[in-house]
Every structure is written in C-alpha cells, then in structure tokens.
Amino acid sequence: MKHAAPALALFCTLLAASAPARAEAIGAVDTAFKLIGPDHKIVVEAYDDPKVPGVACYVSRAKTGGIKGALGLAEDKAEASIACRQVGPITIPQPLPAQEEVFNERISLVFKRLRIVRMVDAQRRTLVYLTYSDRLIDGSPQNSITAVPVGGEAPIPVRK
C-alpha cells in the first residue's frame, strides 16, 4: 500500500501530460437572442501551445444557442478566427514535427471538429498556426491563419 501513492502520482502526471490542451474561456458576446435556451454567441478561448512554452493562441468562433445548444445537440458553424502571440519567452525544448495538430475540439454532437495545426517555417524562423473545421464526410474550406516569429539565431529544431 505504501507504494500505491507514488505510483498514483506518476500515473496522474503522465495522464495530465498526455491530455489534449484545453481551451480557457476568455469571454463571449451574444449575437442573437433566444427565448428558450442560451443565446447564440461568439466565444473567445485561449490555448497554450503544449510543446512551445511562451506561445498562446486565441480562437473566436460561433456557438449555437437555443434548445439544441443547451442540450449539446447543435452544430456550430465552421467559421473561426485565430491569433497566436508570444506571451512569454519562447522555448522549444525538443524538435517539433514540421506539421502537427496542436488542438482539436468537438463542435457538433458527433461529426464536426475545430482543429488547430502548427507548421514550422524553419527558413523564416516562424511558427504558423492554421485553424479549420472538418466533418466525417466533408469539411469546410473556411480557415484562418496566423504566424509567430521565433527570435534568436539558432535554427528551429524540426523533426521530419
């Protein structure tokens, strides 16, 4: 029993490290009044890049209200905007894949997801973030892009 506590602590640490990044709600504005259920909104959420300390991404997107929205049955629109910024010293502790999905979040009951992909532009020492949504069958071509320059002289370590 005395070995259970350290094993449990290790398990919790590994679980937290492997968990996908979570959105932190920053704020919201109502866009349409709904008599029953929550109003339609535009929400703004922040995501910290889990592999690049010092970079945060802010995403704004529509959130459907009404009865379906309250029950989690609504399908949110595929429109989103993204702005990623340096919020502290940027460190890249290990080589990054040339392209990697950093976050994804369900925006309908089953089929639609909002995704954020990080791409490394090593030549320009810049991290490029793309947001888009997809469906099981067909996605949306609507997307938004932002870039964060990485200071210094050393090349960005990229894993191929």
Side-chain angles (χ1 to χ4, degrees):
M1 193 59 124
K2 69 180 181 178
H3 297 290
L8 181 61
L10 177 62
F11 174 76
C12 290
T13 301
L14 291 174
L15 185 63
S18 67
R22 296 195 186 272
E24 177 185 333
I26 300 298
V29 295
D30 290 350
T31 59
F33 172 76
K34 300 304 283 182
L35 187 58
I36 300 174
D39 294 343
H40 295 318
K41 301 177 187 287
I42 296 173
V43 297
V44 177
E45 299 165 324
Y47 300 83
D48 292 317
D49 188 323
K51 291 189 179 174
V52 185
V55 174
C57 293
Y58 298 88
V59 176
S60 67
R61 63 184 178 87
K63 190 156 182 80
T64 304
I67 295 171
K68 284 186 177 181
L71 297 174
L73 302 174
E75 183 170 308
D76 293 336
K77 295 188 187 265
E79 301 155 0
S81 180
I82 187 170
C84 297
R85 298 292 185 262
Q86 179 176 353
V87 295
I90 294 178
T91 56
I92 302 174
Q94 59 189 358
L96 299 171
Q99 181 172 315
E100 176 180 27
E101 183 173 278
V102 182
F103 317 105
N104 75 67
E105 182 177 331
R106 180 180 64 83
I107 56 176
S108 78
L109 185 60
V110 178
F111 301 112
K112 192 187 269 185
R113 299 194 78 75
L114 175 71
R115 299 184 183 278
I116 300 174
V117 175
R118 179 194 337 98
M119 301 171 196
V120 178
D121 180 352
Q123 180 180 344
R124 293 167 190 82
R125 298 195 38 78
T126 301
L127 302 173
V128 179
Y129 294 85
L130 168 72
T131 186
Y132 67 100
S133 71
D134 65 0
R135 283 186 169 172
L136 191 58
I137 305 298
D138 62 341
S140 170
Q142 294 187 359
N143 63 81
S144 184
I145 192 168
T146 188
V148 178
V150 178
E153 299 293 323
I156 297 174
V158 179
R159 185 176 72 220
K160 302 269 176 178

